[in-house]
Amino acid sequence: MTPHLPPPCLICEGLERYLGEEESRVHVLRGVSLTLEPGLVHAVVGPSGCGKSTLLYLLGLLDHPDAGSITIDEVPVASLSDEDLSATRNERLGFIFQFHFLLQDFTAAENVMIPMRRLGRARMEEMRARAEFLLDAVGLGAKVDRPSRHLSGGEQQRVAIARALANDPRVILADEPTGNLDTSNSERIFSLLTTLVRENEKALLLVTHNPEIAERCDWVHEMKDGVIFESRPGLRAPGSAPS
Amino acid sequence: MIPPTLYIATRFIVSRKRSLILSMLGVVCGVGFFICTQAQTQGFEKYFIQSVLGTSGAVVISDRFQPRYTQFSGTSSADMVASSGQNARKYYEGITDPYRLMRVARSFSNVLGAAPIIRGSVSIASSFQSEVLRLEGIDMRYHLGATALREQIISGSIDGFGAQPSAIILGWMLADKLQVRVGDNVTVTAPTGTRTFKVVALSRSGINIIDETRGYINLGVAQSLLGKPSSASVITLRLRDPGRAPELAAHLERLFSHRARSWQERERGNLALFSTLKISAGITVSLIILLAGFGIFNVLTLTVLEKLREIAILRSMGYRRWDISAIFLWQGLIIATFGSLFGCGLGALLTFLVSLIPINLRGVIFATHFVVDWNVYHYLYGSAIAFVAVLVATFFPAQRAATVPPVDILRGSGQ
């Protein structure tokens, strides 16, 4: 009897994307396909300009592919309205940017609560409690009410990570999430994310230049010139053979 | 829980205090000035209308006219008027049976009072000098119910006026010219003879042309003095709703075959002047509000440009295009709401201060201070104009914010 496999969190097939107009038009993605299964961490690595961030924006439903399809939680997104795409982003996707992109007029907790407010499913006290919990998890339990502009770059990045987890999304998309963090915080955040993904049947797609981080992921996808030319298990992923 | 878009809008707007204050100041001044100017122009207009209604009545029925038809045979050609077009009418001066017409007129629900008046120009003299007097013979039993004469008395008394054949009420400016006071005697010279009257009261209608020429005596005495027994020059009507005077006047004119003119028709020139002033003030102040609108448009457009990154972040977190628009529309709404509220306060304060300014108006109307009208509609209209201006000014930046492609911003953003 075949064991029951949970459906993939995200599938993309044959994604094509051009950027620019006329003579400056560049074929950035050339038929990229990926499947993010629940409980697994994927890394995308490759040189600058190879299309990693463009892929991430497409999977994050912030951009539209010129060809190909994206399915999130078994729902093809191509036919969704802006309203439904926004709802999917809010509820199912957590985005961590290379630069933290916090709202500067808000405190750390308020930043984390912004996606929760949009979802509107929890009471204010519940949202506040979850924000405090997430900020504590990223090591900012003592700074929940500090205005984000008064936090250091690394602290702001950690608030952004807590914010991406606010609505407990199925898919986490991260563009160099630990790029601005020191080694210990980088380790702490990576551990937090991978634990969260593995224990809660989520999927994490990580764009990184850090080979140490990439090899600790379950899958490593190597990209060049808009194509994933190799997908392999991470060398130091849990369960992989020691190198 | 407040909507997330309102929450974010509030934080955005509070974080830009200087822009907020500047934007709001424009709205506050616009609304305040609108209220104050409307209070003044409307104040003078209403004062004028009240004076007209209180003195001459809402509808004045006067000369009888011949029904509009062409007589083909009969009487002498001297009585005939060429009947070409609508205006050919022959008028017979005065009203021969005023009390019968008054009875019929009072049967209309809009008519509160009706009074006969006989008019004539005579000469009045005191020991100091003589002047022209526009004499009005009145029946005090009816006159007080049809005019505001009692309220217009500024000295003396009109009690028992009907029983005093030699009593006269003078306009206060005429009395001033004649240098007479209550209790003094004056001599009135008419075509039928000369008669002495005792000044029993002085009146102030507020309209100078009336106050410097008019005097009231009893109807019967005036009829005898002017040689017009048992007739009246006009019947003046007081109405429950003076705004409907033109319709009633037209109806009565057809019914009575007497000329009937509403106050709107009689004072068309002055009302047009007030109306022009009101429009002129309205345009000036609307321009201020428009200017405030431009200011808000600029501020919000700049805010959109400054907040592009925040907009992209919000979109990435699942905020819809409409949510982004709403964030900026809320900001406009907040500015309009508080701007209007403070503007109404400023308007009330300015109106009060303006009403204290002493003036010496001796033209169409008499006034010692700025006359202002406290009218809740000025506040509502001022606020409504501000809301429309602000929301129009907000709409375009809000639309722009909603259409910003988030990925373009995120791709181009860095620390």
Side-chain angles (χ1 to χ4, degrees):
Chain A
M1 192 177 141
T2 313
H4 174 72
L5 290 174
C9 298
L10 186 149
I11 302 168
C12 71
E13 288 174 324
L15 288 185
E16 303 266 349
R17 185 71 175 112
Y18 295 85
L19 292 178
E21 299 288 327
E22 297 174 354
E23 284 133 30
S24 59
R25 191 171 162 87
V26 182
H27 198 173
V28 181
L29 290 184
R30 301 161 183 261
V32 173
S33 299
L34 262 180
T35 300
L36 305 186
E37 302 86 356
L40 294 182
V41 179
H42 295 249
V44 177
V45 294
S48 293
C50 71
K52 304 187 297 290
S53 294
T54 303
L55 174 65
L56 221 54
Y57 293 138
L58 287 177
L59 299 182
L61 310 183
L62 292 168
D63 198 5
H64 299 282
D66 293 308
S69 67
I70 300 169
T71 304
I72 295 175
D73 275 345
E74 300 182 285
V75 178
V77 299
S79 57
L80 294 184
S81 64
D82 177 68
E83 178 126 348
D84 291 333
L85 287 175
S86 300
T88 307
R89 275 200 299 272
N90 181 240
E91 198 176 345
R92 299 180 194 280
L93 297 175
F95 218 112
I96 304 167
F97 299 98
Q98 187 172 3
F99 302 104
H100 51 79
F101 287 158
L102 294 186
L103 300 185
Q104 297 297 313
D105 303 323
F106 296 74
T107 65
E110 286 166 346
N111 263 289
V112 177
M113 287 161 73
I114 283 174
M116 296 191 246
R117 282 178 177 272
R118 174 69 196 89
L119 189 63
R121 288 204 186 135
R123 292 201 311 274
M124 191 56 95
E125 313 82 67
E126 292 168 340
M127 286 193 264
R128 171 78 191 182
R130 178 154 176 81
E132 285 177 2
F133 167 76
L134 289 168
L135 286 168
D136 193 46
V138 296
L140 290 172
K143 297 183 176 177
V144 289
D145 290 321
R146 189 162 294 189
S148 57
R149 64 163 62 89
H150 294 161
L151 297 171
S152 69
E155 287 171 334
Q156 293 195 32
Q157 183 66 339
R158 283 187 274 160
V159 175
I161 290 164
R163 185 181 63 188
L165 304 174
N167 284 343
D168 199 20
R170 278 271 281 164
V171 180
I172 301 162
L173 303 168
D175 192 356
E176 292 274 11
T178 56
N180 294 323
L181 302 180
D182 58 31
T183 314
S184 71
N185 272 317
S186 179
E187 176 59 33
R188 176 181 189 153
I189 293 303
F190 184 73
S191 298
L192 171 73
L193 289 173
T194 50
T195 308
L196 200 74
V197 166
R198 286 172 182 140
E199 288 179 359
N200 295 285
E201 297 286 292
K202 298 176 186 302
L204 169 63
L205 180 65
L206 196 70
V207 166
T208 182
H209 282 109
N210 185 336
E212 169 67 18
I213 295 264
E215 294 306 335
R216 288 169 63 192
C217 295
D218 300 301
W219 284 93
V220 179
H221 307 279
E222 295 195 29
M223 263 187 99
K224 193 177 178 187
D225 297 332
V227 179
I228 293 178
F229 65 91
E230 186 182 6
S231 291
R232 58 175 173 78
L235 297 175
R236 292 174 53 212
S240 67
S243 54
Chain B
M1 191 166 72
I2 62 169
T5 49
L6 174 58
Y7 167 72
I8 295 169
T10 314
R11 299 300 293 268
F12 275 6
I13 208 167
V14 169
S15 71
R16 293 170 53 88
K17 287 193 186 69
R18 191 179 295 176
S19 303
L20 170 69
I21 289 168
L22 281 176
S23 305
M24 209 172 275
L25 212 58
V27 179
V28 170
C29 290
V31 173
F33 294 163
F34 179 87
I35 290 167
C36 184
T37 52
Q38 291 301 303
Q40 289 169 59
T41 51
Q42 202 104 317
F44 279 110
E45 184 183 10
K46 275 199 171 173
Y47 178 58
F48 176 76
I49 290 170
Q50 273 168 12
S51 300
V52 167
L53 292 176
T55 309
S56 308
V59 172
V60 171
I61 301 167
S62 57
D63 305 333
R64 182 170 68 84
F65 57 79
Q66 197 177 43
R68 202 180 278 131
Y69 58 83
T70 306
Q71 200 170 346
F72 290 104
S73 63
T75 59
S76 72
S77 59
D79 289 342
M80 298 286 291
V81 169
S83 179
S84 64
Q86 292 292 306
N87 297 325
R89 254 180 192 171
K90 182 169 183 180
Y91 286 97
Y92 300 93
E93 192 188 337
I95 303 165
T96 48
D97 191 1
Y99 290 98
R100 187 176 63 86
L101 296 193
M102 282 163 55
R103 266 200 309 279
V104 178
R106 277 200 300 265
S107 68
F108 286 84
S109 62
N110 195 16
V111 177
L112 285 174
I117 299 171
I118 189 157
R119 285 177 177 159
S121 279
V122 294
S123 168
I124 185 169
S126 66
S127 56
F128 182 69
Q129 70 172 60
S130 64
E131 288 286 337
V132 172
L133 170 67
R134 306 272 177 218
L135 188 67
E136 292 214 339
I138 59 173
D139 186 335
M140 198 57 99
R141 290 173 302 165
Y142 297 104
H143 204 77
L144 294 180
T147 68
L149 183 61
R150 188 180 288 284
E151 291 77 42
Q152 291 173 357
I153 298 300
I154 55 168
S155 73
S157 168
I158 55 172
D159 295 335
F161 177 84
Q164 302 172 58
S166 60
I168 189 166
I169 302 165
L170 290 181
W172 73 279
M173 291 173 88
L174 175 62
D176 201 39
K177 281 200 272 186
L178 294 169
Q179 299 272 299
V180 294
R181 287 181 293 187
V182 171
D184 290 348
N185 287 331
V186 289
T187 309
V188 172
T189 305
T192 57
T194 299
R195 195 164 168 167
T196 300
F197 288 90
K198 184 180 178 184
V199 180
V200 295
L202 301 181
S203 68
R204 179 154 70 204
S205 69
I207 302 170
N208 290 359
I209 191 72
I210 290 174
D211 291 337
E212 62 191 7
T213 58
R214 187 168 287 184
Y216 303 93
I217 60 172
N218 276 296
L219 182 70
V221 179
Q223 284 170 334
S224 138
L225 198 63
L226 297 169
K228 297 172 181 175
S230 69
S231 75
S233 306
V234 298
I235 294 169
T236 182
L237 301 183
R238 184 175 164 207
L239 302 187
R240 203 181 300 278
D241 177 9
R244 284 166 50 212
E247 293 88 339
L248 183 70
H251 186 64
L252 292 179
E253 187 163 296
R254 283 195 301 275
L255 186 69
F256 294 154
S257 290
H258 278 66
R259 171 186 269 187
R261 298 175 76 201
S262 64
W263 63 274
Q264 291 96 328
E265 187 188 345
R266 295 190 322 261
E267 303 296 339
R268 187 175 290 152
N270 286 323
L271 291 175
L273 177 68
F274 282 118
S275 184
T276 309
L277 282 174
K278 207 160 57 179
I279 292 169
S280 163
I283 289 171
T284 309
V285 178
S286 298
L287 287 176
I288 296 173
I289 294 179
L290 199 68
L291 218 60
F294 274 124
I296 290 162
F297 175 81
N298 284 336
V299 166
L300 283 177
T301 304
L302 279 176
T303 309
V304 169
L305 292 176
E306 279 180 16
K307 299 283 184 191
L308 281 178
R309 207 176 67 165
E310 278 85 348
I311 291 167
I313 299 164
L314 289 168
R315 294 277 286 140
S316 76
M317 287 190 285
Y319 281 76
R320 299 162 297 180
R321 284 204 182 97
W322 162 243
D323 292 324
I324 304 298
S325 276
I327 288 170
F328 287 89
L329 288 172
W330 275 122
Q331 292 183 57
L333 212 60
I334 290 168
I335 292 171
T337 305
F338 286 96
S340 296
L341 278 176
F342 291 128
C344 286
L346 178 70
L349 179 68
L350 287 177
T351 304
F352 174 70
L353 292 177
V354 163
S355 74
L356 299 179
I357 298 172
I359 51 169
N360 189 18
L361 200 59
R362 301 284 186 275
V364 180
I365 53 178
F366 168 87
T368 55
H369 285 82
F370 267 85
V371 185
V372 296
D373 178 37
W374 293 95
N375 190 332
V376 71
Y377 286 107
H378 298 158
Y379 296 78
L380 293 178
Y381 290 148
S383 301
I385 293 171
F387 268 84
V388 170
V390 171
L391 288 181
V392 168
T394 313
F395 179 77
F396 296 101
Q399 279 288 97
R400 165 142 171 59
T403 51
V404 168
V407 71
D408 291 354
I409 312 302
L410 296 172
R411 203 175 264 133
S413 289
Q415 277 295 70

